[in-house]
Amino acid sequence: MDWSRTKTILILAFLTLNLFLGYQVYLSKLQHGVESESAQSTQWEIENYLSEQNIAIKMDIPQETPLLNYLYVEYVTSATFEQEEMADQQVAVDNTVLESRLEKPIPLRDFKSPKDVLHQLYNTIKFADQYKEDVNWTLSAPIYWQMHDGLPMFVAPLELHIADGFIRGYKQTYLLVKNQGSGRKIITAYTALRSLIEKEVIKSGESIDSISLGYYGFKYDAEIQVLAPVWRFQHGNKVEYMNGFTGTMERPLDKKGMAE
């Protein structure tokens, strides 16, 4: 065997491989630069478009576009919320919503965050540690959402009843995540927002109060429900959900099962 020739061939092979890998890194950086420049251009266009439409926005528009998936969930009913295990509460379950009145209201102590308020209820509310406050949480609207992989499920709220300095009860919806689809990249918040403005769902002169990423879906007559990733836009007293995959508005179903 000619070792000198073999050595030369191996060196050339490694050199070719290094050149190929270097080219791939270059393409990756180039693509990232193009995407970054495109995102900045889109942001500039949206900000100018909002200004032209006289629409105020109270926060930075989120720029993330993570890989997300559809969630297949099951609503928990009274079979799981066993009343005998929930001491010092008067509990009623209407379909999938549990409503509780505390027999011994809990004083609202000094707190630094909405999490502090919820922490007082960890021994009172089942699965309380799986909820996180809404972005617009206030003592007059103390709403939390059940979380999945760091994102809220906007169909599983936990709402506290607070009055006269006491936590007096709560309403809760809880979901079991049974499965999920494969990850796909979602549309940008800019794309979803522009669609809402062009359709005049958000009108000139309005103010956008919050933009949140999460999951949402309308309830069907089936054991397993499907939630889609959505961008949630709150403007005034209205809330809009834009499907993160299709860019279409999520609308409720009427009694015939048709989208309203």
Side-chain angles (χ1 to χ4, degrees):
M1 178 181 292
D2 189 343
W3 289 107
S4 177
R5 182 180 180 185
T6 302
K7 182 178 179 180
T8 300
I9 292 173
L10 289 174
I11 291 173
L12 290 174
F14 281 118
L15 179 59
T16 302
L17 178 61
N18 287 333
L19 288 173
F20 174 76
L21 292 176
Y23 181 65
Q24 293 299 313
V25 170
Y26 166 77
L27 288 180
S28 176
K29 289 184 176 180
L30 181 63
Q31 179 65 25
H32 178 73
V34 170
E35 290 179 352
S36 177
E37 184 177 341
S38 176
Q40 291 177 355
S41 176
T42 302
Q43 180 179 359
W44 180 82
E45 289 176 1
I46 277 290
E47 288 175 352
N48 277 275
Y49 190 63
L50 289 171
S51 178
E52 291 172 1
Q53 297 298 316
N54 190 30
I55 295 173
I57 186 164
K58 297 181 178 180
M59 82 298 301
D60 292 333
I61 300 175
Q63 298 189 36
E64 69 268 25
T65 54
L67 296 177
L68 297 178
N69 39 57
Y70 287 104
L71 297 184
Y72 299 89
V73 302
E74 181 180 354
Y75 281 83
V76 168
T77 60
S78 55
T80 297
F81 290 124
E82 297 178 359
Q83 298 184 25
E84 63 270 20
E85 294 183 2
M86 306 177 74
D88 300 324
Q89 302 182 50
Q90 294 184 17
V91 174
V93 180
D94 180 11
N95 194 7
T96 58
V97 180
L98 179 146
E99 186 166 4
S100 171
R101 184 172 70 84
L102 303 183
E103 295 178 355
K104 298 178 181 179
I106 299 173
L108 192 61
R109 307 184 188 94
D110 293 337
F111 66 94
K112 297 180 180 179
S113 70
K115 185 177 180 179
D116 294 335
V117 176
L118 187 60
H119 188 75
Q120 296 182 56
L121 299 166
Y122 274 20
N123 294 326
T124 303
I125 300 177
K126 298 185 74 170
F127 318 116
D129 60 338
Q130 297 182 34
Y131 290 80
K132 185 177 180 180
E133 71 275 5
D134 185 79
V135 293
N136 297 316
W137 188 99
T138 63
L139 279 179
S140 60
I143 297 176
Y144 302 79
W145 300 106
Q146 185 183 347
M147 306 296 287
H148 175 75
D149 285 347
L151 293 177
M153 296 185 284
F154 293 124
V155 294
L158 170 62
E159 183 176 0
L160 305 184
H161 172 46
I162 297 176
D164 302 323
F166 287 85
I167 304 171
R168 299 183 178 276
Y170 61 91
K171 285 185 179 180
Q172 180 183 17
T173 299
Y174 184 76
L175 301 175
L176 296 174
V177 178
K178 310 297 287 188
N179 202 347
Q180 58 188 32
S182 56
R184 296 164 52 188
K185 193 171 184 178
I186 63 168
I187 64 171
T188 66
Y190 299 108
T191 300
L193 176 56
R194 180 153 194 149
S195 178
L196 286 173
I197 297 172
E198 289 177 344
K199 293 174 181 176
E200 295 188 341
V201 176
I202 298 177
K203 297 180 173 60
S204 176
E206 287 196 79
S207 176
I208 301 170
D209 301 309
S210 71
I211 304 173
S212 307
L213 183 60
Y215 292 95
Y216 186 75
F218 291 99
K219 203 170 180 184
Y220 297 83
D221 186 16
E223 181 178 352
I224 302 298
Q225 309 289 316
V226 182
L227 304 183
V230 294
W231 287 108
R232 182 186 72 163
F233 296 86
Q234 293 182 285
H235 56 114
N237 296 322
K238 299 179 181 179
V239 180
E240 318 297 345
Y241 298 94
M242 296 293 284
N243 189 297
F245 293 144
T246 65
T248 56
M249 290 181 64
E250 293 288 335
R251 293 190 176 277
L253 301 179
D254 61 19
K255 294 181 181 179
K256 296 181 181 179
M258 302 295 291
E260 293 181 354

Coordinates of all heavy atoms in Angstrom, one line a residue, residues 18 29 61 78 98 136 177 181 190 192 208 231 234:
N18 N -13.7 20.3 5.7 CA -13.6 21.6 6.4 C -14.1 22.8 5.6 O -14.8 23.7 6.1 CB -12.2 21.9 6.9 CG -11.7 21.0 8.0 OD1 -12.5 20.6 8.8 ND2 -10.4 20.8 8.1
K29 N -25.0 32.0 8.8 CA -24.9 33.3 9.2 C -25.5 34.3 8.3 O -26.1 35.3 8.7 CB -23.4 33.7 9.4 CG -22.7 33.0 10.6 CD -21.3 33.4 10.8 CE -20.7 32.8 12.1 NZ -19.3 33.2 12.3
I61 N -43.7 45.0 20.7 CA -44.3 43.8 20.0 C -43.4 42.6 20.1 O -42.2 42.8 19.8 CB -44.6 44.2 18.5 CG1 -45.5 45.4 18.4 CG2 -45.1 43.0 17.8 CD1 -45.7 45.9 17.0
S78 N -66.0 16.9 37.6 CA -66.2 16.7 39.0 C -65.6 15.3 39.5 O -65.3 15.1 40.6 CB -67.7 16.7 39.4 OG -68.4 15.8 38.6
L98 N -65.2 24.5 38.1 CA -65.3 24.4 39.6 C -65.5 25.8 40.2 O -64.6 26.6 39.9 CB -64.1 23.6 40.2 CG -64.2 23.4 41.7 CD1 -63.5 22.1 42.0 CD2 -63.4 24.6 42.4
N136 N -52.3 41.2 32.5 CA -53.0 42.4 33.0 C -53.6 42.2 34.4 O -54.6 42.8 34.7 CB -54.1 42.8 32.0 CG -53.6 43.2 30.7 OD1 -52.6 44.0 30.6 ND2 -54.1 42.7 29.6
V177 N -53.3 17.6 29.6 CA -52.7 17.5 28.2 C -52.4 16.1 27.9 O -51.6 15.4 28.5 CB -51.4 18.4 28.1 CG1 -50.8 18.3 26.7 CG2 -51.7 19.8 28.4
G181 N -48.9 17.7 18.8 CA -48.4 17.4 17.5 C -47.0 17.8 17.4 O -46.3 18.1 18.4
Y190 N -46.2 40.5 14.3 CA -46.4 41.6 13.4 C -47.4 41.2 12.3 O -48.3 42.0 11.9 CB -45.0 42.0 12.7 CG -44.0 42.5 13.6 CD1 -42.9 41.6 13.9 CD2 -44.0 43.7 14.2 CE1 -41.9 42.1 14.8 CE2 -43.0 44.1 15.1 CZ -42.0 43.3 15.4 OH -41.0 43.8 16.2
A192 N -49.7 38.9 12.4 CA -51.0 38.8 13.0 C -51.7 40.1 13.2 O -52.9 40.3 13.0 CB -51.0 38.0 14.3
I208 N -53.8 49.3 21.7 CA -53.6 47.9 22.0 C -52.9 47.7 23.3 O -51.8 48.3 23.6 CB -52.6 47.3 20.9 CG1 -53.3 47.4 19.5 CG2 -52.3 45.8 21.2 CD1 -52.4 47.1 18.4
W231 N -51.8 34.1 18.9 CA -51.4 35.4 19.4 C -52.7 36.0 20.0 O -53.7 36.1 19.3 CB -50.8 36.3 18.3 CG -49.4 35.9 17.9 CD1 -49.0 35.3 16.8 CD2 -48.2 36.1 18.7 NE1 -47.7 35.1 16.7 CE2 -47.1 35.6 17.9 CE3 -47.9 36.7 19.9 CZ2 -45.8 35.7 18.3 CZ3 -46.6 36.7 20.3 CH2 -45.6 36.2 19.6
Q234 N -55.3 42.2 23.1 CA -56.3 42.9 23.9 C -56.3 44.3 23.6 O -55.3 45.0 23.6 CB -56.0 42.7 25.4 CG -56.2 41.2 25.9 CD -55.9 41.1 27.4 OE1 -54.8 41.2 27.8 NE2 -57.0 40.9 28.1

